[in-house]
Amino acid sequence: MKSALVLGAGGFIGGHLVKRLKKEGFWVRGVDLKFHEHAETHADDFVIGDLREQDFCRSIVDRGFDEVYQLAADMGGAGYIFTGEHDADIMHNSATINLNVADIAHKRNIKSTFYSSSACMYPAYNQEDPDNPNCKEESAYPAAPDSEYGWEKLFSERLFLSYNRNYGLRNRVARYHNIFGPEGTWDGGKEKAPAAICRKVARAKSGDAIEIWGDGLQTRSFLYVDECVEGTLRLIRSDCEVPVNIGSEEMVTINQLVDIVADISGKKIEKNHIPGPTGVRGRNSENTLIKEKLGWAPSQTLRSGLEKTYEWIEWQVRRNAA
Ligand code: NAD
Ligand code: GDD
């Protein structure tokens, strides 16, 4: 039986990844600071601990794992990473985890490892035009991410690639573009736009206005979590040695995102644009390289993912209210 280690298994993508690996017949160990907040874990073994601690890291990365997924990070949406208030923690916590994991994976001769980077590592100067952002993988340099979160991701990509070059680690790097879906953070300050908008619409009455940060003309693409997991598995098992985007190419404005969610809810929703952390003006995945390297790219519509996500968040809102 194959075995996998999922670091950050108590989080959103990690939780979905564990489920998928179990369906594939893997024996899975999940590791996190906490249990999953929104679902029972499907892992065979779930270890609570702090990956910033070297000794703890040593204790959970066994020699025999076929696949190790490094998803643990100090992360959140625009309200967490663009305010500047958490910069030191974000950089220290995530870099320390990655320094520990890369080194231990090498020393334990792990056959295949995966690191989850982010589209936030792309230069801000290529994301000023909302209609034409450039997030091709080759556009990463000269580096100029617009957040410390993005700088840490770039550093850690380079860290894992160095272990590949110098020690023959077989690590793969994905640059995720705003992943959404059920069982993700939907409240509390770390949630991203799709979950925040679903929550606001679910709490609104028809005819109400909901608050939107900025003028709503900033653009993004959002990828449903099942396709993120699919791409992750295809990438770790591929011979692709360079970082690749895992994201959707269906770019929308935040106002359009609100309109889709409102339509799904069946409510008439007005928009109240307020000042808030907005990040780059435009961002979209560019999928030429993933098609070339993996012969695959995400294809689901934003609307189909939002239908499932809205249903789940509406249920959370009703449950909380009760
Ligand atoms: P998440 O916050 O839901 O999951 C991350 C998990 O890491 C959390 O459960 C957290 O408790 C755990 N963690 C943090 N510090 C830890 C520590 N010291 N020891 C052990 N566990 C620790 O985030 P997610 O959305 O599931 O993202 C997973 C990965 O993908 C992260 O590295 C994130 O930066 C990256 N990513 C996510 C997105 C997205 O849109 N969700 C986009 C780009 C990149
Ligand atoms: N979170 C949130 N909440 N965003 C809102 C809201 C709201 O209520 N209203 C409008 N927005 C706007 C933000 O201002 C931003 O311009 C846009 O929606 C997208 O915000 P997020 O989804 O929070 O983050 P992001 O796309 O800027 O960055 C995310 O994606 C990266 C990968 O592409 C973050 O989750 C990063 O952690 C991630 O790496």
Side-chain angles (χ1 to χ4, degrees):
M1 184 190 255
K2 286 202 165 184
S3 61
L5 175 64
V6 179
L7 306 174
F12 167 48
I13 302 170
H16 284 273
L17 178 61
V18 168
K19 264 190 235 172
R20 173 67 189 269
L21 287 164
K22 284 306 300 169
K23 273 194 194 141
E24 291 194 354
F26 275 71
W27 185 91
V28 182
R29 172 178 292 162
V31 176
D32 205 295
L33 280 175
K34 58 168 180 61
F35 288 109
H36 202 294
E37 285 156 44
H38 306 298
E40 288 291 317
T41 185
H42 289 227
D44 299 277
D45 179 30
F46 197 97
V47 189
I48 296 288
D50 189 337
L51 293 162
R52 291 169 298 185
E53 305 292 334
Q54 245 181 1
D55 286 346
F56 174 69
C57 253
R58 275 196 206 102
S59 74
I60 50 99
V61 184
D62 296 345
R63 213 162 263 281
F65 279 115
D66 295 286
E67 296 176 353
V68 171
Y69 296 85
Q70 190 342 51
L71 301 168
D74 190 349
M75 76 87 73
Y80 187 71
I81 63 173
F82 295 133
T83 61
E85 288 163 30
H86 310 287
D87 288 348
D89 284 346
I90 288 171
M91 295 195 91
H92 175 266
N93 294 340
S94 296
T96 307
I97 296 169
N98 289 319
L99 287 161
N100 285 341
V101 172
D103 196 54
I104 288 160
H106 147 59
K107 288 183 173 143
R108 296 275 147 88
N109 280 320
I110 300 298
K111 285 176 232 156
S112 280
T113 63
F114 170 87
Y115 173 60
S116 50
S117 181
S118 163
C120 286
M121 49 65 61
Y122 283 114
Y125 57 77
N126 280 333
Q127 300 174 83
E128 287 166 4
D129 176 356
D131 298 322
N132 263 313
N134 176 9
C135 292
K136 271 187 196 294
E137 288 83 349
E138 67 198 25
S139 73
Y141 299 96
D146 76 335
S147 63
E148 303 305 349
Y149 170 78
W151 278 105
E152 190 284 325
K153 288 292 185 192
L154 192 58
F155 164 78
S156 291
E157 280 189 8
R158 298 186 68 97
L159 172 74
F160 279 98
L161 293 172
S162 302
Y163 273 81
N164 285 359
R165 272 197 314 279
N166 295 165
Y167 293 121
L169 190 71
R170 193 181 172 286
N171 184 74
R172 302 294 177 248
V173 178
R175 293 172 180 163
Y176 288 158
H177 287 247
N178 211 319
I179 315 302
F180 74 101
E183 300 176 3
T185 306
W186 60 277
D187 205 0
K190 286 188 167 184
E191 67 282 6
K192 288 166 278 117
I197 303 300
C198 286
R199 183 196 70 227
K200 290 178 187 185
V201 170
R203 282 186 179 153
K205 293 190 299 297
S206 196
D208 281 357
I210 62 164
E211 292 186 338
I212 309 295
W213 299 341
D215 60 11
L217 299 175
Q218 64 270 45
T219 53
R220 294 291 188 276
S221 73
F222 304 99
L223 181 70
Y224 190 64
V225 64
D226 285 359
E227 291 205 294
C228 168
V229 168
E230 179 68 33
T232 299
L233 296 179
R234 286 175 184 257
L235 181 58
I236 195 175
R237 294 162 193 171
S238 77
D239 55 12
C240 175
E241 292 180 340
V242 291
V244 285
N245 291 329
I246 294 188
S248 162
E249 285 183 325
E250 185 184 344
M251 187 172 81
V252 292
T253 65
I254 298 303
N255 286 337
Q256 287 169 330
L257 174 71
V258 176
D259 290 342
I260 300 171
V261 175
D263 192 53
I264 290 168
S265 74
K267 299 178 190 175
K268 186 172 164 0
I269 297 292
E270 304 291 336
K271 303 176 194 84
N272 177 19
H273 294 109
I274 60 164
T278 50
V280 292
R281 192 66 179 148
R283 175 174 291 148
N284 193 11
S285 187
E286 214 288 338
N287 291 348
T288 309
L289 190 66
I290 192 170
K291 286 179 198 152
E292 183 191 313
K293 296 285 184 187
L294 305 186
W296 173 90
S299 59
Q300 286 181 28
T301 62
L302 173 59
R303 187 178 173 110
S304 69
L306 283 174
E307 283 169 357
K308 292 173 249 186
T309 308
Y310 182 77
E311 189 186 348
W312 183 80
I313 291 180
E314 196 202 22
W315 176 57
Q316 302 304 310
V317 166
R318 268 193 278 120
R319 227 173 46 149
N320 268 31

